[in-house]
Amino acid sequence: MLEAQSMQLMVADRLRARIIAGDLETGVGLSEIALAAEYGVSRTPVREALKQLQTEGLVEIRPRVGTFVSTPTRADIVELFQMKEILEGAAARLFAARGEIPELEALRRNLETSDEAVARGDVAGYAAQVGDFHDLIVRGSGNRKLVTHYTMLMNQLAYPRLVATSLSRPGRLGESDAEHGRVLAMIVAKDEWTAERLMREHVRASQEALLGAMVFAGDADARS
Amino acid sequence: MLEAQSMQLMVADRLRARIIAGDLETGVGLSEIALAAEYGVSRTPVREALKQLQTEGLVEIRPRVGTFVSTPTRADIVELFQMKEILEGAAARLFAARGEIPELEALRRNLETSDEAVARGDVAGYAAQVGDFHDLIVRGSGNRKLVTHYTMLMNQLAYPRLVATSLSRPGRLGESDAEHGRVLAMIVAKDEWTAERLMREHVRASQEALLGAMVFAGDADARS
DNA sequence: ATATGTTCACTTGCATGCAAGAGGACGTGA
DNA sequence: TCACGTCCTCTTGCATGCAAGTGAACATAT
């Protein structure tokens, strides 16, 4: 399963995962020859993988200089959150219009698991559910273009890393879970516009919780 | 200006333009070696250009088989129009919140030119303004991520080719121009949510005019 | 005539060699 | 000590050679 596909796809997938997870230090460090040696391939597939990651917005290729992990500026982060709110809001609305689909049942199970995690005060457990919740909303839109571009944008945000931070604010855990529940209720009720509004408000609340927590955390990411 | 940048960028730009304009027949026909000969370069830059166009959704690379111009299915087109409505609606809202920016003055000039074209019954002249109008709205959002992803999605639609078709319905020309004017008025009035609503309604009306015209035109594009 | 097995031309995937440019290190002068 | 000019190493950009897989044409057997 690891070697079956093409080399460039393997390199691209692994590099993408490492960048999102934050394993790769931002700034310098992506030499084609070094990566080629690391993955046991030649420069060519590495090169093509890097080119794809560039159009995905994850790395920046400076001609004749080098390839670097993209460092989102503060303005980038603001824009990405705007896009998150727009796309997830629209997705919730489209979801609500579709009625009973497999994603809806998955969403109900997600809420049950989340409620239990909150009841236990299990932040890590809840954080894991949050990612699934948002992915389910987006996939439940039934619009594959939306899913694709949403994924690309959230990869630029390295969102999974941020969720835990946003939940560190006292009381945010329960608020977030309650907001999820209200969104689900509106989807079940097929109230498209209220679903969109609540989803947007939820995204904005999460963003504010995150930005607030980041200030106190000393601005771990996002150097200007 | 044509040869200054890198070869792969030139090839990518030219190919993209040809695909959007419809010069390249959909389906088969993008051999790396043929394109290399045509542009006077080797396979390598052609290959990298094709890879980029693939992640942009314009071509499809089937491993060991060949590269083909992507043919949007009917479902793809529906999804793309949904995205167009979502993104342009959000852009109009963000635009309205920004007040006096250079794009606003450009938008006023665009409307004047459009009004004159409509008064003359100049369909081609108006069609040219339509593209600019929508681009100005999107760029006026002030969100570069929105601009980037909107552009990618509209490239997949090969939108410029479709505008003329959508305007072929009797009376649509004046309707479209009037809708543009109302959107502009709401942006000037800084009424964010009405701007978004009117913009979305405009996009939907254009889509319906297009789909209606395409049925009568014998479904020139969009084979399933 | 139809179905089937085989071959073959053509495609892209990957490896490697060479060239050109960028940026820093280093030496030199004041 | 500081400013400046030169060189040198390292980077990617492009060209090319080889290998492997695909799909269709073709011959063959039923």
Side-chain angles (χ1 to χ4, degrees), chain A residues 173-184:
Chain A
L173 195 66
E175 288 175 14
S176 172
D177 189 50
E179 289 161 10
H180 283 192
R182 285 195 285 273
V183 170
L184 173 59

Side-chain angles (χ1 to χ4, degrees), chain A residues 29-40 43 46:
Chain A
L30 292 182
S31 152
E32 291 178 3
I33 191 169
L35 290 171
E38 180 176 346
Y39 290 110
R43 278 181 52 208
V46 171

Side-chain angles (χ1 to χ4, degrees), chain B residues 34-84:
Chain B
L35 290 171
E38 181 176 346
Y39 290 109
V41 296
S42 83
R43 278 181 53 209
T44 306
V46 170
R47 201 176 157 63
E48 306 196 342
L50 289 175
K51 179 132 197 60
Q52 169 153 359
L53 293 180
Q54 180 188 36
T55 74
E56 290 181 15
L58 290 178
V59 307
E60 181 186 359
I61 300 176
R62 299 227 297 259
R64 310 276 181 187
V65 177
T67 303
F68 311 89
V69 178
S70 286
T71 321
T73 65
R74 213 166 277 273
D76 286 327
I77 293 181
V78 170
E79 295 182 359
L80 286 168
F81 268 109
Q82 264 183 355
M83 293 301 286
K84 183 171 158 68

